[in-house]
Structure formats: structure tokens, C-alpha cells
Amino acid sequence: MANTPSAKKRAKQAEKRRSHNASLRSMVRTYIKNVVKAIDAKDAAKAQAAFVLAVPVIDRMADKGIIHKNKAAHHKSRLNGHVKALNLATAA
């Protein structure tokens, strides 16, 4: 455990930051999960709406450094591909 006052403060700050970042990461996962659920349910309109809501959240977390920018791009690309495929399948 930290002994000096400055080390104690840094430990408190690190814990506060860790829990805040964990909360933000959880939020991103929830938005992604909402898109995946709509895709699994074969609901194209709901999937598109969930995707539109998820993209800015994913981008914000990448900008803040909560997730890596390439991971954000990977999630957006993968979800967009699934949503487009679902739209094509329901249109045909």
C-alpha cells in the first residue's frame, strides 16, 4: 500500500479513473450488444437504428482512449457489414 501522501492520492485517483473507464467500456459493450441482438432477431429497422446510436458512442470512446481506434473501426465495420447483409436479406 502507498505510504507517502502523494502516493496515497495517486492511488485514489487511479482507482477513481479505473472505475470510470470501466463504466465507459461497459457502455460501449451495451450499445454493441443492442445492435447484435437486433441483428440476431432479424429486425433490420431496429438493427439500423441501434447501429446509428452505437457509432458515435464507439467513436467517442476511441477519442478518449477507452478503446483503441483500430478496435473501434473494427467494431463499426463488422456491425455495419452485418446490418447491410440483414437489409439485403430482408429486401430480397
Coordinates of all heavy atoms in Angstrom, one line a residue:
M1 N 0.8 -1.2 0.0 CA 0.0 0.0 0.0 C 0.9 1.2 0.0 O 2.0 1.2 0.5 CB -0.9 0.0 1.2 CG -1.9 1.0 1.3 SD -3.0 1.1 -0.1 CE -3.6 2.7 0.0
A2 N 0.3 2.3 -0.5 CA 1.1 3.6 -0.6 C 1.3 4.1 0.8 O 0.5 4.0 1.7 CB 0.2 4.6 -1.4
N3 N 2.5 4.7 0.9 CA 2.9 5.3 2.2 C 2.9 6.8 2.3 O 2.5 7.4 3.2 CB 4.3 4.7 2.6 CG 4.3 3.3 3.0 OD1 3.4 2.8 3.6 ND2 5.3 2.5 2.5
T4 N 3.4 7.4 1.2 CA 3.5 8.9 1.2 C 2.2 9.5 0.8 O 1.4 8.8 0.2 CB 4.6 9.4 0.2 OG1 4.2 9.0 -1.1 CG2 6.0 8.8 0.5
P5 N 1.9 10.7 1.3 CA 0.6 11.3 0.9 C 0.4 11.4 -0.6 O -0.7 11.2 -1.1 CB 0.8 12.7 1.5 CG 1.8 12.6 2.7 CD 2.7 11.5 2.2
S6 N 1.5 11.7 -1.3 CA 1.3 11.8 -2.8 C 1.0 10.5 -3.4 O 0.2 10.4 -4.3 CB 2.5 12.4 -3.4 OG 3.7 11.6 -3.2
A7 N 1.6 9.4 -2.9 CA 1.3 8.1 -3.4 C -0.1 7.7 -3.1 O -0.8 7.0 -3.9 CB 2.3 7.1 -2.9
K8 N -0.6 8.0 -1.9 CA -1.9 7.7 -1.5 C -2.9 8.4 -2.4 O -3.9 7.9 -2.8 CB -2.2 8.1 0.0 CG -1.5 7.2 1.0 CD -1.7 7.7 2.4 CE -0.9 6.8 3.4 NZ -1.0 7.3 4.7
K9 N -2.6 9.7 -2.7 CA -3.5 10.5 -3.6 C -3.5 9.8 -5.0 O -4.6 9.7 -5.6 CB -3.1 11.9 -3.7 CG -3.9 12.8 -4.5 CD -3.5 14.2 -4.6 CE -4.4 15.0 -5.5 NZ -4.0 16.4 -5.6
R10 N -2.4 9.5 -5.5 CA -2.3 8.9 -6.8 C -3.1 7.6 -6.9 O -3.7 7.2 -7.9 CB -0.8 8.6 -7.2 CG 0.0 9.9 -7.5 CD -0.6 10.8 -8.5 NE -0.6 10.1 -9.8 CZ -1.2 10.6 -10.9 NH1 -1.9 11.7 -10.9 NH2 -1.0 9.9 -12.1
A11 N -3.0 6.8 -5.8 CA -3.8 5.5 -5.7 C -5.3 5.8 -5.8 O -6.0 5.1 -6.5 CB -3.4 4.8 -4.5
K12 N -5.7 6.8 -5.0 CA -7.1 7.2 -5.1 C -7.5 7.6 -6.5 O -8.6 7.2 -7.0 CB -7.4 8.3 -4.1 CG -7.7 7.8 -2.7 CD -7.9 8.8 -1.6 CE -8.5 10.1 -2.1 NZ -8.6 11.1 -1.0
Q13 N -6.7 8.4 -7.1 CA -7.0 8.9 -8.4 C -7.1 7.8 -9.4 O -8.0 7.8 -10.3 CB -6.0 10.0 -8.9 CG -6.1 11.3 -8.1 CD -5.0 12.2 -8.5 OE1 -3.8 11.8 -8.8 NE2 -5.3 13.5 -8.5
A14 N -6.1 6.9 -9.3 CA -6.1 5.8 -10.2 C -7.3 4.9 -10.1 O -7.9 4.4 -11.1 CB -4.8 4.9 -10.0
E15 N -7.7 4.6 -8.9 CA -8.9 3.8 -8.7 C -10.2 4.5 -9.2 O -11.0 3.9 -9.8 CB -9.1 3.5 -7.2 CG -10.3 2.7 -6.8 CD -10.5 1.4 -7.6 OE1 -9.5 0.8 -7.9 OE2 -11.6 1.0 -7.8
K16 N -10.3 5.8 -9.0 CA -11.4 6.6 -9.5 C -11.4 6.5 -11.0 O -12.5 6.3 -11.6 CB -11.3 8.0 -9.0 CG -12.5 8.9 -9.4 CD -12.3 10.3 -8.8 CE -13.4 11.2 -9.2 NZ -13.2 12.6 -8.7
R17 N -10.3 6.7 -11.6 CA -10.2 6.7 -13.1 C -10.5 5.3 -13.7 O -11.2 5.2 -14.7 CB -8.8 7.1 -13.5 CG -8.7 7.5 -15.0 CD -7.3 8.1 -15.3 NE -7.1 9.4 -14.6 CZ -6.2 9.6 -13.6 NH1 -5.4 8.6 -13.3 NH2 -6.1 10.7 -13.0
R18 N -10.0 4.3 -12.9 CA -10.2 2.9 -13.4 C -11.7 2.6 -13.4 O -12.3 2.0 -14.4 CB -9.5 1.9 -12.5 CG -9.6 0.5 -12.9 CD -9.2 -0.5 -11.8 NE -10.1 -0.5 -10.7 CZ -11.3 -1.1 -10.7 NH1 -11.7 -1.8 -11.8 NH2 -12.1 -1.0 -9.7
S19 N -12.4 3.0 -12.4 CA -13.9 2.6 -12.3 C -14.6 3.4 -13.3 O -15.6 2.9 -13.9 CB -14.4 2.9 -10.9 OG -14.5 4.2 -10.6
H20 N -14.2 4.7 -13.6 CA -14.9 5.5 -14.6 C -14.7 4.9 -16.0 O -15.6 4.8 -16.8 CB -14.4 6.9 -14.5 CG -15.1 7.9 -15.5 ND1 -14.5 8.4 -16.6 CD2 -16.3 8.4 -15.5 CE1 -15.3 9.1 -17.3 NE2 -16.5 9.1 -16.6
N21 N -13.5 4.5 -16.3 CA -13.2 3.9 -17.6 C -13.9 2.6 -17.7 O -14.4 2.3 -18.8 CB -11.6 3.7 -17.7 CG -10.9 5.0 -17.9 OD1 -11.5 6.0 -18.2 ND2 -9.6 4.9 -17.7
A22 N -14.0 1.8 -16.7 CA -14.7 0.5 -16.7 C -16.2 0.8 -17.1 O -16.8 0.0 -17.9 CB -14.6 -0.2 -15.4
S23 N -16.8 1.8 -16.5 CA -18.1 2.2 -16.8 C -18.3 2.5 -18.2 O -19.3 2.1 -18.9 CB -18.6 3.3 -15.9 OG -19.8 3.8 -16.3
L24 N -17.4 3.3 -18.8 CA -17.5 3.7 -20.2 C -17.3 2.5 -21.1 O -18.0 2.4 -22.1 CB -16.4 4.8 -20.5 CG -16.6 6.2 -19.8 CD1 -15.5 7.1 -20.1 CD2 -18.0 6.8 -20.1
R25 N -16.4 1.6 -20.8 CA -16.2 0.4 -21.6 C -17.5 -0.4 -21.6 O -17.9 -1.0 -22.6 CB -15.0 -0.4 -21.1 CG -13.8 -0.3 -21.9 CD -12.7 -1.3 -21.5 NE -12.5 -1.4 -20.1 CZ -11.7 -0.7 -19.4 NH1 -11.0 0.3 -20.0 NH2 -11.5 -0.8 -18.1
S26 N -18.1 -0.5 -20.4 CA -19.3 -1.3 -20.3 C -20.4 -0.7 -21.2 O -21.2 -1.4 -21.8 CB -19.8 -1.3 -18.9 OG -21.0 -1.9 -18.7
M27 N -20.5 0.7 -21.2 CA -21.5 1.3 -22.0 C -21.3 1.0 -23.5 O -22.3 0.7 -24.2 CB -21.4 2.9 -21.8 CG -22.4 3.6 -22.6 SD -22.4 5.4 -22.3 CE -20.8 5.8 -23.0
V28 N -20.1 1.0 -24.0 CA -19.8 0.7 -25.4 C -20.2 -0.7 -25.7 O -20.9 -1.0 -26.7 CB -18.3 0.8 -25.7 CG1 -17.9 0.3 -27.0 CG2 -17.8 2.3 -25.6
R29 N -19.9 -1.7 -24.8 CA -20.3 -3.1 -25.0 C -21.8 -3.2 -25.0 O -22.4 -4.0 -25.8 CB -19.8 -3.9 -23.8 CG -18.3 -4.1 -23.9 CD -17.8 -5.1 -22.9 NE -16.4 -5.1 -22.7 CZ -15.8 -4.8 -21.6 NH1 -16.5 -4.5 -20.5 NH2 -14.5 -4.7 -21.5
T30 N -22.5 -2.4 -24.2 CA -24.0 -2.5 -24.2 C -24.6 -2.0 -25.6 O -25.5 -2.6 -26.1 CB -24.6 -1.6 -23.1 OG1 -24.0 -2.1 -21.9 CG2 -26.1 -1.6 -23.0
Y31 N -24.0 -0.9 -26.1 CA -24.5 -0.4 -27.4 C -24.2 -1.4 -28.5 O -25.1 -1.6 -29.4 CB -23.8 0.9 -27.7 CG -24.6 2.1 -27.1 CD1 -24.2 2.6 -25.9 CD2 -25.6 2.8 -27.8 CE1 -24.8 3.7 -25.3 CE2 -26.2 3.9 -27.3 CZ -25.9 4.3 -26.0 OH -26.5 5.4 -25.5
I32 N -23.1 -2.0 -28.5 CA -22.7 -3.1 -29.4 C -23.7 -4.3 -29.3 O -24.2 -4.8 -30.3 CB -21.2 -3.5 -29.3 CG1 -20.3 -2.3 -29.7 CG2 -21.0 -4.7 -30.1 CD1 -18.9 -2.6 -29.4
K33 N -23.9 -4.6 -28.1 CA -24.8 -5.8 -27.8 C -26.2 -5.5 -28.3 O -26.9 -6.4 -28.8 CB -24.8 -6.1 -26.3 CG -25.3 -7.5 -25.9 CD -25.3 -7.7 -24.4 CE -24.0 -7.4 -23.8 NZ -24.0 -7.5 -22.3
N34 N -26.7 -4.3 -28.2 CA -28.0 -3.9 -28.7 C -28.1 -4.1 -30.2 O -29.1 -4.6 -30.7 CB -28.4 -2.5 -28.4 CG -28.6 -2.3 -26.9 OD1 -28.9 -3.2 -26.2 ND2 -28.5 -1.0 -26.4
V35 N -27.0 -3.8 -30.9 CA -27.0 -4.0 -32.4 C -27.0 -5.5 -32.7 O -27.8 -5.9 -33.6 CB -25.8 -3.3 -33.0 CG1 -25.8 -3.5 -34.5 CG2 -25.8 -1.8 -32.7
V36 N -26.2 -6.2 -32.0 CA -26.1 -7.6 -32.2 C -27.4 -8.3 -32.0 O -27.9 -9.2 -32.7 CB -25.0 -8.3 -31.4 CG1 -25.0 -9.8 -31.5 CG2 -23.6 -7.7 -31.8
K37 N -28.1 -7.9 -30.9 CA -29.4 -8.5 -30.6 C -30.4 -8.3 -31.7 O -31.2 -9.2 -32.1 CB -30.0 -8.0 -29.3 CG -29.3 -8.6 -28.0 CD -30.0 -7.9 -26.8 CE -29.3 -8.4 -25.5 NZ -29.9 -7.7 -24.3
A38 N -30.4 -7.1 -32.2 CA -31.4 -6.7 -33.3 C -31.0 -7.5 -34.5 O -31.9 -8.0 -35.3 CB -31.3 -5.2 -33.6
I39 N -29.8 -7.7 -34.8 CA -29.3 -8.5 -36.0 C -29.8 -9.9 -35.8 O -30.3 -10.6 -36.7 CB -27.8 -8.4 -36.2 CG1 -27.4 -7.0 -36.6 CG2 -27.3 -9.4 -37.2 CD1 -25.9 -6.7 -36.6
D40 N -29.5 -10.5 -34.6 CA -29.9 -11.9 -34.3 C -31.4 -12.1 -34.5 O -31.9 -13.1 -34.8 CB -29.5 -12.3 -33.0 CG -27.9 -12.5 -32.9 OD1 -27.3 -12.6 -34.0 OD2 -27.4 -12.5 -31.8
A41 N -32.2 -11.0 -34.1 CA -33.7 -11.1 -34.2 C -34.2 -10.9 -35.6 O -35.4 -10.9 -35.8 CB -34.3 -10.1 -33.2
K42 N -33.3 -10.6 -36.5 CA -33.6 -10.3 -37.9 C -34.5 -9.1 -38.1 O -35.3 -9.1 -39.0 CB -34.3 -11.6 -38.6 CG -33.5 -12.9 -38.4 CD -32.5 -13.0 -39.6 CE -31.9 -14.4 -39.6 NZ -30.6 -14.5 -39.1
D43 N -34.3 -8.1 -37.2 CA -35.1 -6.9 -37.3 C -34.2 -5.8 -37.9 O -33.4 -5.2 -37.2 CB -35.5 -6.5 -35.9 CG -36.5 -5.3 -35.9 OD1 -36.6 -4.7 -36.9 OD2 -37.2 -5.1 -34.9
A44 N -34.3 -5.6 -39.2 CA -33.5 -4.7 -40.0 C -33.6 -3.3 -39.5 O -32.6 -2.6 -39.3 CB -33.7 -4.8 -41.5
A45 N -34.8 -2.8 -39.3 CA -35.0 -1.4 -38.9 C -34.4 -1.2 -37.5 O -33.8 -0.1 -37.3 CB -36.5 -1.1 -38.9
K46 N -34.7 -2.1 -36.6 CA -34.2 -1.9 -35.2 C -32.6 -2.0 -35.2 O -32.0 -1.3 -34.5 CB -34.7 -3.0 -34.3 CG -34.7 -2.7 -32.9 CD -35.5 -3.8 -32.1 CE -35.5 -3.5 -30.7 NZ -36.3 -4.5 -29.9
A47 N -32.1 -2.9 -36.1 CA -30.6 -3.0 -36.1 C -30.0 -1.7 -36.7 O -29.0 -1.3 -36.2 CB -30.2 -4.2 -37.0
Q48 N -30.6 -1.2 -37.7 CA -30.1 0.1 -38.3 C -30.1 1.2 -37.3 O -29.2 2.0 -37.1 CB -30.9 0.4 -39.5 CG -30.4 1.7 -40.2 CD -29.0 1.6 -40.8 OE1 -28.7 0.5 -41.4 NE2 -28.2 2.6 -40.7
A49 N -31.3 1.3 -36.5 CA -31.4 2.3 -35.5 C -30.4 2.2 -34.4 O -29.8 3.1 -34.0 CB -32.8 2.3 -35.0
A50 N -30.2 0.9 -34.0 CA -29.2 0.7 -32.9 C -27.8 1.0 -33.4 O -27.0 1.5 -32.6 CB -29.3 -0.8 -32.5
F51 N -27.5 0.7 -34.7 CA -26.2 0.9 -35.2 C -25.9 2.4 -35.3 O -24.8 2.9 -34.9 CB -26.1 0.3 -36.6 CG -24.7 0.6 -37.3 CD1 -23.6 0.0 -36.8 CD2 -24.6 1.5 -38.3 CE1 -22.4 0.2 -37.4 CE2 -23.4 1.7 -39.0 CZ -22.3 1.1 -38.5
V52 N -26.9 3.2 -35.7 CA -26.8 4.7 -35.8 C -26.5 5.3 -34.4 O -25.7 6.2 -34.3 CB -28.0 5.3 -36.4 CG1 -28.1 6.8 -36.2 CG2 -28.1 4.9 -37.9
L53 N -27.1 4.7 -33.3 CA -26.9 5.1 -32.0 C -25.5 4.7 -31.5 O -24.8 5.4 -30.7 CB -27.9 4.6 -31.0 CG -29.3 5.2 -31.2 CD1 -30.3 4.4 -30.2 CD2 -29.3 6.7 -30.8
A54 N -25.0 3.5 -31.9 CA -23.8 3.0 -31.4 C -22.5 3.7 -32.0 O -21.5 3.8 -31.2 CB -23.7 1.5 -31.7
V55 N -22.6 4.1 -33.2 CA -21.4 4.6 -33.9 C -20.8 5.8 -33.2 O -19.6 5.8 -32.9 CB -21.7 4.9 -35.4 CG1 -20.6 5.7 -36.0 CG2 -21.8 3.6 -36.1
P56 N -21.6 6.8 -32.8 CA -21.0 8.0 -32.1 C -20.4 7.6 -30.8 O -19.4 8.2 -30.3 CB -22.1 9.0 -32.0 CG -23.3 8.4 -32.4 CD -23.0 7.1 -33.1
V57 N -21.0 6.7 -30.1 CA -20.5 6.3 -28.8 C -19.2 5.6 -28.9 O -18.2 5.8 -28.2 CB -21.6 5.3 -28.1 CG1 -21.0 4.8 -26.8 CG2 -22.8 6.1 -27.8
I58 N -19.1 4.7 -29.9 CA -17.8 4.0 -30.2 C -16.7 5.0 -30.5 O -15.6 4.9 -30.0 CB -18.0 2.9 -31.3 CG1 -19.0 1.8 -30.8 CG2 -16.7 2.3 -31.7 CD1 -19.4 0.9 -31.9
D59 N -17.1 5.9 -31.4 CA -16.1 7.0 -31.8 C -15.6 7.8 -30.6 O -14.4 8.1 -30.4 CB -16.7 7.9 -32.8 CG -16.7 7.2 -34.2 OD1 -16.0 6.3 -34.5 OD2 -17.6 7.7 -35.0
R60 N -16.6 8.2 -29.7 CA -16.2 9.0 -28.5 C -15.3 8.2 -27.6 O -14.3 8.8 -27.1 CB -17.5 9.3 -27.8 CG -17.8 10.8 -27.8 CD -18.9 11.3 -26.9 NE -19.9 10.4 -26.4 CZ -21.0 10.1 -27.0 NH1 -21.4 10.7 -28.1 NH2 -21.9 9.3 -26.5
M61 N -15.5 6.9 -27.4 CA -14.7 6.2 -26.5 C -13.3 6.0 -27.2 O -12.3 5.9 -26.4 CB -15.3 4.8 -26.2 CG -16.5 4.9 -25.4 SD -16.4 6.0 -23.9 CE -17.5 7.3 -24.3
A62 N -13.2 5.9 -28.5 CA -11.9 5.8 -29.1 C -11.1 7.1 -29.0 O -9.9 7.1 -28.7 CB -12.1 5.4 -30.6
D63 N -11.8 8.2 -29.1 CA -11.2 9.5 -29.0 C -10.7 9.7 -27.5 O -9.6 10.3 -27.3 CB -12.2 10.7 -29.3 CG -12.5 10.8 -30.8 OD1 -11.7 10.2 -31.6 OD2 -13.5 11.4 -31.1
K64 N -11.4 9.2 -26.6 CA -11.0 9.3 -25.2 C -9.9 8.3 -24.8 O -9.3 8.4 -23.7 CB -12.2 9.1 -24.2 CG -13.2 10.2 -24.3 CD -14.3 10.0 -23.3 CE -15.3 11.1 -23.3 NZ -16.2 11.1 -22.2
G65 N -9.6 7.4 -25.7 CA -8.6 6.4 -25.4 C -9.1 5.2 -24.5 O -8.3 4.4 -24.0
I66 N -10.4 5.1 -24.4 CA -11.0 4.0 -23.6 C -10.8 2.7 -24.4 O -10.5 1.6 -23.8 CB -12.5 4.2 -23.3 CG1 -12.7 5.6 -22.6 CG2 -13.1 3.1 -22.6 CD1 -12.1 5.7 -21.3
I67 N -11.0 2.8 -25.7 CA -10.7 1.6 -26.6 C -9.8 2.2 -27.7 O -9.8 3.4 -28.0 CB -12.0 1.0 -27.2 CG1 -12.8 2.0 -28.0 CG2 -12.8 0.3 -26.1 CD1 -14.0 1.3 -28.8
H68 N -9.0 1.3 -28.3 CA -8.1 1.7 -29.4 C -8.9 2.1 -30.6 O -9.9 1.5 -30.9 CB -7.1 0.5 -29.6 CG -6.0 0.9 -30.5 ND1 -6.0 1.0 -31.8 CD2 -4.7 1.3 -30.1 CE1 -4.8 1.4 -32.3 NE2 -4.0 1.6 -31.3
K69 N -8.3 3.0 -31.4 CA -9.1 3.5 -32.6 C -9.3 2.4 -33.6 O -10.3 2.3 -34.3 CB -8.4 4.7 -33.2 CG -7.0 4.4 -33.7 CD -6.3 5.7 -34.2 CE -4.9 5.4 -34.7 NZ -4.9 4.8 -36.1
N70 N -8.3 1.4 -33.7 CA -8.5 0.3 -34.6 C -9.5 -0.6 -34.2 O -10.3 -1.2 -35.0 CB -7.1 -0.4 -34.8 CG -6.1 0.4 -35.6 OD1 -6.5 1.5 -36.2 ND2 -4.9 -0.1 -35.7
K71 N -9.7 -0.8 -32.9 CA -10.7 -1.7 -32.3 C -12.1 -1.0 -32.6 O -13.0 -1.7 -33.0 CB -10.5 -1.9 -30.8 CG -11.6 -2.8 -30.2 CD -11.3 -3.1 -28.8 CE -12.3 -4.1 -28.2 NZ -12.0 -4.7 -27.0
A72 N -12.2 0.3 -32.5 CA -13.4 1.0 -32.8 C -13.8 0.8 -34.2 O -14.9 0.5 -34.6 CB -13.3 2.5 -32.4
A73 N -12.8 1.0 -35.1 CA -13.0 0.8 -36.5 C -13.5 -0.6 -36.8 O -14.3 -0.8 -37.7 CB -11.8 1.2 -37.3
H74 N -12.8 -1.6 -36.2 CA -13.2 -3.0 -36.4 C -14.6 -3.3 -36.0 O -15.4 -3.9 -36.7 CB -12.2 -3.9 -35.6 CG -12.5 -5.3 -35.7 ND1 -13.1 -6.0 -34.7 CD2 -12.4 -6.2 -36.7 CE1 -13.3 -7.3 -35.0 NE2 -12.9 -7.4 -36.3
H75 N -15.0 -2.7 -34.8 CA -16.4 -2.9 -34.4 C -17.4 -2.3 -35.4 O -18.4 -2.9 -35.7 CB -16.6 -2.3 -33.0 CG -16.2 -3.2 -31.9 ND1 -16.6 -4.5 -31.7 CD2 -15.3 -2.9 -30.9 CE1 -16.1 -5.0 -30.6 NE2 -15.2 -4.1 -30.1
K76 N -17.1 -1.0 -35.8 CA -18.0 -0.3 -36.7 C -18.2 -1.1 -38.0 O -19.3 -1.2 -38.5 CB -17.6 1.1 -36.9 CG -17.7 2.0 -35.6 CD -17.5 3.4 -35.9 CE -16.1 3.7 -36.5 NZ -15.9 5.1 -36.7
S77 N -17.0 -1.5 -38.5 CA -17.0 -2.2 -39.8 C -17.8 -3.5 -39.8 O -18.6 -3.8 -40.6 CB -15.6 -2.4 -40.3 OG -15.5 -3.2 -41.4
R78 N -17.5 -4.3 -38.7 CA -18.2 -5.6 -38.6 C -19.7 -5.4 -38.4 O -20.5 -6.1 -39.1 CB -17.6 -6.3 -37.4 CG -18.1 -7.7 -37.1 CD -17.4 -8.3 -36.0 NE -17.6 -7.6 -34.8 CZ -18.6 -7.7 -33.9 NH1 -19.6 -8.5 -34.2 NH2 -18.6 -6.9 -32.8
L79 N -20.1 -4.5 -37.5 CA -21.5 -4.3 -37.3 C -22.2 -3.7 -38.6 O -23.3 -4.2 -38.9 CB -21.7 -3.3 -36.2 CG -21.4 -3.8 -34.8 CD1 -21.5 -2.7 -33.7 CD2 -22.2 -5.0 -34.4
N80 N -21.5 -2.8 -39.3 CA -22.1 -2.3 -40.5 C -22.3 -3.3 -41.5 O -23.3 -3.4 -42.2 CB -21.2 -1.1 -41.0 CG -21.9 -0.4 -42.1 OD1 -23.1 -0.1 -42.1 ND2 -21.1 0.1 -43.1
G81 N -21.3 -4.2 -41.7 CA -21.5 -5.3 -42.6 C -22.6 -6.2 -42.3 O -23.4 -6.6 -43.2
H82 N -22.8 -6.5 -41.0 CA -24.0 -7.4 -40.6 C -25.3 -6.7 -40.9 O -26.2 -7.3 -41.3 CB -23.8 -7.8 -39.2 CG -22.8 -8.8 -38.9 ND1 -22.6 -10.0 -39.6 CD2 -21.8 -8.8 -38.0 CE1 -21.6 -10.6 -39.1 NE2 -21.0 -9.9 -38.1
V83 N -25.4 -5.4 -40.6 CA -26.6 -4.6 -40.8 C -26.9 -4.6 -42.3 O -28.1 -4.8 -42.7 CB -26.5 -3.2 -40.2 CG1 -27.7 -2.3 -40.6 CG2 -26.4 -3.3 -38.6
K84 N -25.9 -4.3 -43.1 CA -26.2 -4.2 -44.5 C -26.6 -5.6 -45.1 O -27.5 -5.7 -45.9 CB -24.9 -3.8 -45.3 CG -24.7 -2.3 -45.2 CD -23.5 -1.9 -46.1 CE -23.4 -0.4 -46.2 NZ -22.3 0.0 -47.1
A85 N -26.0 -6.7 -44.6 CA -26.4 -8.0 -45.1 C -27.8 -8.3 -44.7 O -28.6 -8.9 -45.4 CB -25.4 -9.0 -44.5
L86 N -28.2 -7.9 -43.5 CA -29.6 -8.1 -43.0 C -30.5 -7.3 -43.9 O -31.6 -7.8 -44.2 CB -29.7 -7.7 -41.5 CG -31.0 -7.9 -40.9 CD1 -31.4 -9.4 -40.9 CD2 -31.0 -7.4 -39.4
N87 N -30.2 -6.1 -44.2 CA -31.0 -5.2 -45.1 C -31.2 -5.9 -46.4 O -32.3 -5.8 -47.0 CB -30.5 -3.8 -45.2 CG -30.7 -3.0 -44.0 OD1 -31.7 -3.2 -43.2 ND2 -29.8 -2.0 -43.7
L88 N -30.1 -6.4 -47.0 CA -30.2 -7.1 -48.3 C -31.1 -8.3 -48.2 O -31.9 -8.6 -49.1 CB -28.8 -7.4 -48.8 CG -28.0 -6.3 -49.3 CD1 -26.6 -6.8 -49.6 CD2 -28.6 -5.6 -50.5
A89 N -30.9 -9.1 -47.1 CA -31.7 -10.3 -47.0 C -33.2 -10.0 -46.8 O -34.0 -10.8 -47.3 CB -31.2 -11.1 -45.7
T90 N -33.5 -9.0 -46.1 CA -34.9 -8.6 -45.9 C -35.6 -8.0 -47.1 O -36.8 -8.1 -47.4 CB -35.2 -7.7 -44.7 OG1 -34.4 -6.6 -44.8 CG2 -34.8 -8.4 -43.4
A91 N -34.7 -7.3 -47.9 CA -35.2 -6.7 -49.1 C -35.5 -7.7 -50.2 O -36.3 -7.5 -51.1 CB -34.2 -5.6 -49.6
A92 N -34.7 -8.8 -50.2 CA -34.9 -9.8 -51.3 C -36.1 -10.7 -51.1 O -36.8 -10.7 -50.2 CB -33.6 -10.7 -51.3

